PDB file of all heavy atoms in Angstrom:
ATOM      1  N   ASN A 277       7.343  20.681 -20.550  1.00 97.00           N
ATOM      2  CA  ASN A 277       8.633  20.233 -21.062  1.00 97.00           C
ATOM      3  C   ASN A 277       8.988  20.805 -22.397  1.00 97.00           C
ATOM      4  O   ASN A 277      10.199  21.119 -22.729  1.00 97.00           O
ATOM      5  CB  ASN A 277       8.684  18.708 -21.162  1.00 97.00           C
ATOM      6  CG  ASN A 277       8.618  18.019 -19.864  1.00 97.00           C
ATOM      7  OD1 ASN A 277       8.960  18.590 -18.843  1.00 97.00           O
ATOM      8  ND2 ASN A 277       8.124  16.803 -19.873  1.00 97.00           N
ATOM      9  N   ASN A 278       7.985  21.245 -23.180  1.00 97.00           N
ATOM     10  CA  ASN A 278       8.157  21.723 -24.511  1.00 97.00           C
ATOM     11  C   ASN A 278       8.079  23.268 -24.619  1.00 97.00           C
ATOM     12  O   ASN A 278       8.178  23.820 -25.700  1.00 97.00           O
ATOM     13  CB  ASN A 278       7.189  21.082 -25.521  1.00 97.00           C
ATOM     14  CG  ASN A 278       7.336  19.648 -25.675  1.00 97.00           C
ATOM     15  OD1 ASN A 278       8.477  19.129 -25.624  1.00 97.00           O
ATOM     16  ND2 ASN A 278       6.299  18.801 -25.950  1.00 97.00           N
ATOM     17  N   ALA A 279       7.880  23.923 -23.532  1.00 96.00           N
ATOM     18  CA  ALA A 279       7.718  25.378 -23.493  1.00 96.00           C
ATOM     19  C   ALA A 279       8.983  25.951 -23.969  1.00 96.00           C
ATOM     20  O   ALA A 279      10.115  25.695 -23.508  1.00 96.00           O
ATOM     21  CB  ALA A 279       7.428  25.831 -22.075  1.00 96.00           C
ATOM     22  N   GLU A 280       8.942  26.965 -24.909  1.00 94.00           N
ATOM     23  CA  GLU A 280      10.145  27.543 -25.451  1.00 94.00           C
ATOM     24  C   GLU A 280      11.010  28.307 -24.576  1.00 94.00           C
ATOM     25  O   GLU A 280      12.251  28.320 -24.591  1.00 94.00           O
ATOM     26  CB  GLU A 280       9.713  28.460 -26.656  1.00 94.00           C
ATOM     27  CG  GLU A 280       9.143  27.739 -27.835  1.00 94.00           C
ATOM     28  CD  GLU A 280       8.877  28.764 -29.053  1.00 94.00           C
ATOM     29  OE1 GLU A 280       9.220  29.874 -28.908  1.00 94.00           O
ATOM     30  OE2 GLU A 280       8.444  28.261 -30.117  1.00 94.00           O
ATOM     31  N   ASP A 281      10.326  29.016 -23.649  1.00 95.00           N
ATOM     32  CA  ASP A 281      11.214  29.797 -22.620  1.00 95.00           C
ATOM     33  C   ASP A 281      11.387  29.004 -21.275  1.00 95.00           C
ATOM     34  O   ASP A 281      11.669  29.683 -20.318  1.00 95.00           O
ATOM     35  CB  ASP A 281      10.543  31.089 -22.408  1.00 95.00           C
ATOM     36  CG  ASP A 281       9.158  31.058 -21.804  1.00 95.00           C
ATOM     37  OD1 ASP A 281       8.561  29.974 -21.851  1.00 95.00           O
ATOM     38  OD2 ASP A 281       8.677  32.063 -21.277  1.00 95.00           O
ATOM     39  N   ASN A 282      11.223  27.676 -21.265  1.00 97.00           N
ATOM     40  CA  ASN A 282      11.439  26.923 -20.096  1.00 97.00           C
ATOM     41  C   ASN A 282      12.917  27.207 -19.543  1.00 97.00           C
ATOM     42  O   ASN A 282      13.913  27.062 -20.317  1.00 97.00           O
ATOM     43  CB  ASN A 282      11.267  25.513 -20.358  1.00 97.00           C
ATOM     44  CG  ASN A 282      11.221  24.605 -19.162  1.00 97.00           C
ATOM     45  OD1 ASN A 282      12.071  24.725 -18.288  1.00 97.00           O
ATOM     46  ND2 ASN A 282      10.165  23.749 -19.054  1.00 97.00           N
ATOM     47  N   LYS A 283      12.944  27.550 -18.319  1.00 96.00           N
ATOM     48  CA  LYS A 283      14.275  27.898 -17.701  1.00 96.00           C
ATOM     49  C   LYS A 283      14.968  26.764 -16.995  1.00 96.00           C
ATOM     50  O   LYS A 283      16.089  26.965 -16.569  1.00 96.00           O
ATOM     51  CB  LYS A 283      14.063  29.054 -16.608  1.00 96.00           C
ATOM     52  CG  LYS A 283      13.393  30.345 -17.233  1.00 96.00           C
ATOM     53  CD  LYS A 283      14.101  30.979 -18.307  1.00 96.00           C
ATOM     54  CE  LYS A 283      13.469  32.322 -18.742  1.00 96.00           C
ATOM     55  NZ  LYS A 283      14.067  32.890 -19.924  1.00 96.00           N
ATOM     56  N   GLY A 284      14.357  25.647 -17.079  1.00 96.00           N
ATOM     57  CA  GLY A 284      15.032  24.481 -16.531  1.00 96.00           C
ATOM     58  C   GLY A 284      14.268  23.627 -15.661  1.00 96.00           C
ATOM     59  O   GLY A 284      14.715  23.069 -14.591  1.00 96.00           O
ATOM     60  N   VAL A 285      12.910  23.487 -15.900  1.00 98.00           N
ATOM     61  CA  VAL A 285      12.080  22.708 -15.035  1.00 98.00           C
ATOM     62  C   VAL A 285      11.444  21.660 -15.948  1.00 98.00           C
ATOM     63  O   VAL A 285      11.026  21.904 -17.082  1.00 98.00           O
ATOM     64  CB  VAL A 285      10.832  23.502 -14.496  1.00 98.00           C
ATOM     65  CG1 VAL A 285       9.837  22.602 -13.693  1.00 98.00           C
ATOM     66  CG2 VAL A 285      11.332  24.611 -13.531  1.00 98.00           C
ATOM     67  N   ARG A 286      11.446  20.347 -15.457  1.00 97.00           N
ATOM     68  CA  ARG A 286      10.849  19.218 -16.180  1.00 97.00           C
ATOM     69  C   ARG A 286       9.751  18.688 -15.330  1.00 97.00           C
ATOM     70  O   ARG A 286       9.645  18.854 -14.203  1.00 97.00           O
ATOM     71  CB  ARG A 286      11.929  18.253 -16.406  1.00 97.00           C
ATOM     72  CG  ARG A 286      13.010  18.616 -17.422  1.00 97.00           C
ATOM     73  CD  ARG A 286      12.411  18.657 -18.782  1.00 97.00           C
ATOM     74  NE  ARG A 286      13.293  19.268 -19.821  1.00 97.00           N
ATOM     75  CZ  ARG A 286      13.247  20.455 -20.315  1.00 97.00           C
ATOM     76  NH1 ARG A 286      12.441  21.279 -19.808  1.00 97.00           N
ATOM     77  NH2 ARG A 286      13.999  20.802 -21.210  1.00 97.00           N
ATOM     78  N   ALA A 287       8.769  18.071 -16.123  1.00 98.00           N
ATOM     79  CA  ALA A 287       7.635  17.546 -15.433  1.00 98.00           C
ATOM     80  C   ALA A 287       7.305  16.131 -15.991  1.00 98.00           C
ATOM     81  O   ALA A 287       7.642  15.851 -17.091  1.00 98.00           O
ATOM     82  CB  ALA A 287       6.443  18.451 -15.641  1.00 98.00           C
ATOM     83  N   THR A 288       6.734  15.343 -15.062  1.00 97.00           N
ATOM     84  CA  THR A 288       6.402  13.952 -15.507  1.00 97.00           C
ATOM     85  C   THR A 288       5.177  13.511 -14.586  1.00 97.00           C
ATOM     86  O   THR A 288       4.826  14.191 -13.669  1.00 97.00           O
ATOM     87  CB  THR A 288       7.522  12.953 -15.358  1.00 97.00           C
ATOM     88  OG1 THR A 288       7.218  11.724 -15.865  1.00 97.00           O
ATOM     89  CG2 THR A 288       7.817  12.715 -13.830  1.00 97.00           C
ATOM     90  N   VAL A 289       4.549  12.439 -15.069  1.00 97.00           N
ATOM     91  CA  VAL A 289       3.451  11.954 -14.397  1.00 97.00           C
ATOM     92  C   VAL A 289       3.909  10.598 -13.639  1.00 97.00           C
ATOM     93  O   VAL A 289       4.476   9.674 -14.196  1.00 97.00           O
ATOM     94  CB  VAL A 289       2.236  11.513 -15.330  1.00 97.00           C
ATOM     95  CG1 VAL A 289       1.056  10.876 -14.534  1.00 97.00           C
ATOM     96  CG2 VAL A 289       1.809  12.735 -16.173  1.00 97.00           C
ATOM     97  N   VAL A 290       3.559  10.552 -12.367  1.00 97.00           N
ATOM     98  CA  VAL A 290       3.815   9.431 -11.496  1.00 97.00           C
ATOM     99  C   VAL A 290       2.595   8.856 -11.020  1.00 97.00           C
ATOM    100  O   VAL A 290       1.711   9.496 -10.411  1.00 97.00           O
ATOM    101  CB  VAL A 290       4.763   9.844 -10.311  1.00 97.00           C
ATOM    102  CG1 VAL A 290       4.992   8.660  -9.401  1.00 97.00           C
ATOM    103  CG2 VAL A 290       6.041  10.341 -10.824  1.00 97.00           C
ATOM    104  N   ASN A 291       2.435   7.460 -11.314  1.00 95.00           N
ATOM    105  CA  ASN A 291       1.260   6.779 -10.827  1.00 95.00           C
ATOM    106  C   ASN A 291       1.655   5.846  -9.630  1.00 95.00           C
ATOM    107  O   ASN A 291       2.600   5.051  -9.593  1.00 95.00           O
ATOM    108  CB  ASN A 291       0.821   5.816 -11.937  1.00 95.00           C
ATOM    109  CG  ASN A 291       0.412   6.572 -13.178  1.00 95.00           C
ATOM    110  OD1 ASN A 291      -0.362   7.549 -13.133  1.00 95.00           O
ATOM    111  ND2 ASN A 291       0.926   6.192 -14.340  1.00 95.00           N
ATOM    112  N   SER A 292       0.938   6.074  -8.517  1.00 94.00           N
ATOM    113  CA  SER A 292       1.261   5.314  -7.331  1.00 94.00           C
ATOM    114  C   SER A 292      -0.030   5.400  -6.411  1.00 94.00           C
ATOM    115  O   SER A 292      -1.066   6.000  -6.779  1.00 94.00           O
ATOM    116  CB  SER A 292       2.403   6.100  -6.556  1.00 94.00           C
ATOM    117  OG  SER A 292       2.120   7.352  -6.191  1.00 94.00           O
ATOM    118  N   GLU A 293       0.105   4.901  -5.194  1.00 94.00           N
ATOM    119  CA  GLU A 293      -0.939   4.958  -4.243  1.00 94.00           C
ATOM    120  C   GLU A 293      -0.947   6.334  -3.533  1.00 94.00           C
ATOM    121  O   GLU A 293       0.165   6.867  -3.203  1.00 94.00           O
ATOM    122  CB  GLU A 293      -0.853   3.956  -3.148  1.00 94.00           C
ATOM    123  CG  GLU A 293      -1.180   2.558  -3.607  1.00 94.00           C
ATOM    124  CD  GLU A 293      -1.206   1.516  -2.494  1.00 94.00           C
ATOM    125  OE1 GLU A 293      -0.908   1.944  -1.331  1.00 94.00           O
ATOM    126  OE2 GLU A 293      -1.496   0.298  -2.762  1.00 94.00           O
ATOM    127  N   ASP A 294      -2.136   6.934  -3.332  1.00 92.00           N
ATOM    128  CA  ASP A 294      -2.204   8.112  -2.524  1.00 92.00           C
ATOM    129  C   ASP A 294      -1.995   7.702  -1.049  1.00 92.00           C
ATOM    130  O   ASP A 294      -2.700   6.831  -0.528  1.00 92.00           O
ATOM    131  CB  ASP A 294      -3.583   8.697  -2.650  1.00 92.00           C
ATOM    132  CG  ASP A 294      -3.814  10.062  -1.847  1.00 92.00           C
ATOM    133  OD1 ASP A 294      -3.053  10.279  -0.831  1.00 92.00           O
ATOM    134  OD2 ASP A 294      -4.589  10.882  -2.262  1.00 92.00           O
ATOM    135  N   PRO A 295      -0.880   8.170  -0.442  1.00 92.00           N
ATOM    136  CA  PRO A 295      -0.522   7.804   0.934  1.00 92.00           C
ATOM    137  C   PRO A 295      -1.620   8.105   2.028  1.00 92.00           C
ATOM    138  O   PRO A 295      -1.734   7.428   3.015  1.00 92.00           O
ATOM    139  CB  PRO A 295       0.774   8.542   1.302  1.00 92.00           C
ATOM    140  CG  PRO A 295       0.723   9.714   0.368  1.00 92.00           C
ATOM    141  CD  PRO A 295       0.072   9.272  -0.866  1.00 92.00           C
ATOM    142  N   ASP A 296      -2.587   9.056   1.635  1.00 90.00           N
ATOM    143  CA  ASP A 296      -3.589   9.369   2.613  1.00 90.00           C
ATOM    144  C   ASP A 296      -4.821   8.390   2.414  1.00 90.00           C
ATOM    145  O   ASP A 296      -5.432   8.055   3.436  1.00 90.00           O
ATOM    146  CB  ASP A 296      -4.127  10.710   2.413  1.00 90.00           C
ATOM    147  CG  ASP A 296      -3.009  11.760   2.685  1.00 90.00           C
ATOM    148  OD1 ASP A 296      -2.232  11.461   3.586  1.00 90.00           O
ATOM    149  OD2 ASP A 296      -3.040  12.882   2.104  1.00 90.00           O
ATOM    150  N   THR A 297      -5.161   7.983   1.186  1.00 91.00           N
ATOM    151  CA  THR A 297      -6.289   7.161   0.966  1.00 91.00           C
ATOM    152  C   THR A 297      -5.956   5.657   0.611  1.00 91.00           C
ATOM    153  O   THR A 297      -6.783   4.787   0.772  1.00 91.00           O
ATOM    154  CB  THR A 297      -7.120   7.694  -0.183  1.00 91.00           C
ATOM    155  OG1 THR A 297      -6.340   7.632  -1.378  1.00 91.00           O
ATOM    156  CG2 THR A 297      -7.584   9.176   0.024  1.00 91.00           C
ATOM    157  N   GLY A 298      -4.682   5.519   0.183  1.00 92.00           N
ATOM    158  CA  GLY A 298      -4.260   4.129  -0.180  1.00 92.00           C
ATOM    159  C   GLY A 298      -4.882   3.760  -1.584  1.00 92.00           C
ATOM    160  O   GLY A 298      -4.694   2.614  -2.078  1.00 92.00           O
ATOM    161  N   GLU A 299      -5.573   4.711  -2.286  1.00 93.00           N
ATOM    162  CA  GLU A 299      -6.150   4.394  -3.569  1.00 93.00           C
ATOM    163  C   GLU A 299      -5.145   4.641  -4.682  1.00 93.00           C
ATOM    164  O   GLU A 299      -4.276   5.486  -4.595  1.00 93.00           O
ATOM    165  CB  GLU A 299      -7.337   5.253  -3.764  1.00 93.00           C
ATOM    166  CG  GLU A 299      -8.477   4.970  -2.761  1.00 93.00           C
ATOM    167  CD  GLU A 299      -9.136   3.630  -2.912  1.00 93.00           C
ATOM    168  OE1 GLU A 299      -9.188   3.143  -4.038  1.00 93.00           O
ATOM    169  OE2 GLU A 299      -9.491   3.003  -1.801  1.00 93.00           O
ATOM    170  N   PRO A 300      -5.254   3.876  -5.748  1.00 95.00           N
ATOM    171  CA  PRO A 300      -4.413   4.073  -6.930  1.00 95.00           C
ATOM    172  C   PRO A 300      -4.663   5.525  -7.437  1.00 95.00           C
ATOM    173  O   PRO A 300      -5.791   6.018  -7.703  1.00 95.00           O
ATOM    174  CB  PRO A 300      -4.881   3.124  -8.020  1.00 95.00           C
ATOM    175  CG  PRO A 300      -5.557   2.065  -7.186  1.00 95.00           C
ATOM    176  CD  PRO A 300      -6.178   2.667  -6.027  1.00 95.00           C
ATOM    177  N   SER A 301      -3.591   6.270  -7.555  1.00 95.00           N
ATOM    178  CA  SER A 301      -3.634   7.682  -7.960  1.00 95.00           C
ATOM    179  C   SER A 301      -2.562   8.097  -8.897  1.00 95.00           C
ATOM    180  O   SER A 301      -1.584   7.392  -9.152  1.00 95.00           O
ATOM    181  CB  SER A 301      -3.619   8.565  -6.656  1.00 95.00           C
ATOM    182  OG  SER A 301      -4.640   8.157  -5.672  1.00 95.00           O
ATOM    183  N   SER A 302      -2.726   9.334  -9.295  1.00 96.00           N
ATOM    184  CA  SER A 302      -1.593   9.975 -10.226  1.00 96.00           C
ATOM    185  C   SER A 302      -1.362  11.418  -9.853  1.00 96.00           C
ATOM    186  O   SER A 302      -2.256  12.028  -9.200  1.00 96.00           O
ATOM    187  CB  SER A 302      -2.122   9.889 -11.591  1.00 96.00           C
ATOM    188  OG  SER A 302      -2.393   8.620 -12.175  1.00 96.00           O
ATOM    189  N   ARG A 303      -0.169  11.848 -10.081  1.00 96.00           N
ATOM    190  CA  ARG A 303       0.081  13.342  -9.819  1.00 96.00           C
ATOM    191  C   ARG A 303       1.295  13.775 -10.695  1.00 96.00           C
ATOM    192  O   ARG A 303       2.059  12.989 -11.226  1.00 96.00           O
ATOM    193  CB  ARG A 303       0.454  13.435  -8.285  1.00 96.00           C
ATOM    194  CG  ARG A 303       1.762  12.888  -7.927  1.00 96.00           C
ATOM    195  CD  ARG A 303       2.135  13.347  -6.511  1.00 96.00           C
ATOM    196  NE  ARG A 303       3.324  12.631  -5.968  1.00 96.00           N
ATOM    197  CZ  ARG A 303       3.965  13.105  -4.788  1.00 96.00           C
ATOM    198  NH1 ARG A 303       3.378  14.111  -4.098  1.00 96.00           N
ATOM    199  NH2 ARG A 303       4.990  12.402  -4.426  1.00 96.00           N
ATOM    200  N   LEU A 304       1.428  14.993 -10.877  1.00 97.00           N
ATOM    201  CA  LEU A 304       2.567  15.604 -11.591  1.00 97.00           C
ATOM    202  C   LEU A 304       3.691  15.780 -10.509  1.00 97.00           C
ATOM    203  O   LEU A 304       3.568  16.109  -9.416  1.00 97.00           O
ATOM    204  CB  LEU A 304       2.144  17.076 -12.104  1.00 97.00           C
ATOM    205  CG  LEU A 304       1.233  16.984 -13.303  1.00 97.00           C
ATOM    206  CD1 LEU A 304       0.844  18.497 -13.602  1.00 97.00           C
ATOM    207  CD2 LEU A 304       1.900  16.431 -14.565  1.00 97.00           C
ATOM    208  N   VAL A 305       4.874  15.534 -11.139  1.00 98.00           N
ATOM    209  CA  VAL A 305       6.071  15.738 -10.406  1.00 98.00           C
ATOM    210  C   VAL A 305       6.991  16.738 -11.204  1.00 98.00           C
ATOM    211  O   VAL A 305       7.263  16.509 -12.368  1.00 98.00           O
ATOM    212  CB  VAL A 305       6.936  14.457 -10.086  1.00 98.00           C
ATOM    213  CG1 VAL A 305       8.296  14.689  -9.554  1.00 98.00           C
ATOM    214  CG2 VAL A 305       6.108  13.537  -9.242  1.00 98.00           C
ATOM    215  N   PHE A 306       7.414  17.805 -10.530  1.00 98.00           N
ATOM    216  CA  PHE A 306       8.199  18.718 -11.112  1.00 98.00           C
ATOM    217  C   PHE A 306       9.679  18.704 -10.654  1.00 98.00           C
ATOM    218  O   PHE A 306       9.776  18.577  -9.379  1.00 98.00           O
ATOM    219  CB  PHE A 306       7.632  20.169 -10.836  1.00 98.00           C
ATOM    220  CG  PHE A 306       6.255  20.389 -11.128  1.00 98.00           C
ATOM    221  CD1 PHE A 306       5.288  20.467 -10.119  1.00 98.00           C
ATOM    222  CD2 PHE A 306       5.814  20.591 -12.457  1.00 98.00           C
ATOM    223  CE1 PHE A 306       3.974  20.491 -10.357  1.00 98.00           C
ATOM    224  CE2 PHE A 306       4.434  20.725 -12.725  1.00 98.00           C
ATOM    225  CZ  PHE A 306       3.495  20.687 -11.633  1.00 98.00           C
ATOM    226  N   PHE A 307      10.605  18.743 -11.344  1.00 97.00           N
ATOM    227  CA  PHE A 307      11.943  18.713 -10.906  1.00 97.00           C
ATOM    228  C   PHE A 307      12.900  19.590 -11.735  1.00 97.00           C
ATOM    229  O   PHE A 307      12.694  19.769 -12.900  1.00 97.00           O
ATOM    230  CB  PHE A 307      12.549  17.298 -10.924  1.00 97.00           C
ATOM    231  CG  PHE A 307      12.476  16.622 -12.227  1.00 97.00           C
ATOM    232  CD1 PHE A 307      13.634  16.647 -13.112  1.00 97.00           C
ATOM    233  CD2 PHE A 307      11.427  15.874 -12.578  1.00 97.00           C
ATOM    234  CE1 PHE A 307      13.545  15.967 -14.403  1.00 97.00           C
ATOM    235  CE2 PHE A 307      11.331  15.228 -13.796  1.00 97.00           C
ATOM    236  CZ  PHE A 307      12.436  15.302 -14.679  1.00 97.00           C
ATOM    237  N   SER A 308      13.858  20.200 -11.012  1.00 98.00           N
ATOM    238  CA  SER A 308      14.801  21.078 -11.623  1.00 98.00           C
ATOM    239  C   SER A 308      15.831  20.353 -12.309  1.00 98.00           C
ATOM    240  O   SER A 308      16.266  19.219 -11.959  1.00 98.00           O
ATOM    241  CB  SER A 308      15.564  21.928 -10.572  1.00 98.00           C
ATOM    242  OG  SER A 308      16.533  22.740 -11.187  1.00 98.00           O
ATOM    243  N   GLU A 309      16.344  20.794 -13.482  1.00 97.00           N
ATOM    244  CA  GLU A 309      17.351  20.272 -14.284  1.00 97.00           C
ATOM    245  C   GLU A 309      18.750  20.338 -13.680  1.00 97.00           C
ATOM    246  O   GLU A 309      19.652  19.526 -13.849  1.00 97.00           O
ATOM    247  CB  GLU A 309      17.441  20.884 -15.739  1.00 97.00           C
ATOM    248  CG  GLU A 309      16.315  20.546 -16.560  1.00 97.00           C
ATOM    249  CD  GLU A 309      16.428  21.176 -17.973  1.00 97.00           C
ATOM    250  OE1 GLU A 309      17.004  22.241 -18.104  1.00 97.00           O
ATOM    251  OE2 GLU A 309      16.019  20.484 -18.925  1.00 97.00           O
TER     252      GLU A 309
END
């Protein structure tokens, strides 16, 4: 998010269950501005 030459991508951390294992998990989510 703080990269100087970022062309329009944002990232965040989402905490949820892994749909495959059902265990509490985390992952990065990237989205275009």
Side-chain angles (χ1 to χ4, degrees):
N277 294 335
N278 295 328
E280 289 186 4
D281 62 341
N282 191 313
K283 305 300 184 184
V285 175
R286 289 290 174 260
T288 189
V289 178
V290 175
N291 301 307
S292 64
E293 288 186 357
D294 185 332
D296 294 331
T297 65
E299 297 295 325
S301 303
S302 300
R303 68 170 174 173
L304 286 172
V305 172
F306 311 101
F307 55 93
S308 174
E309 290 182 324

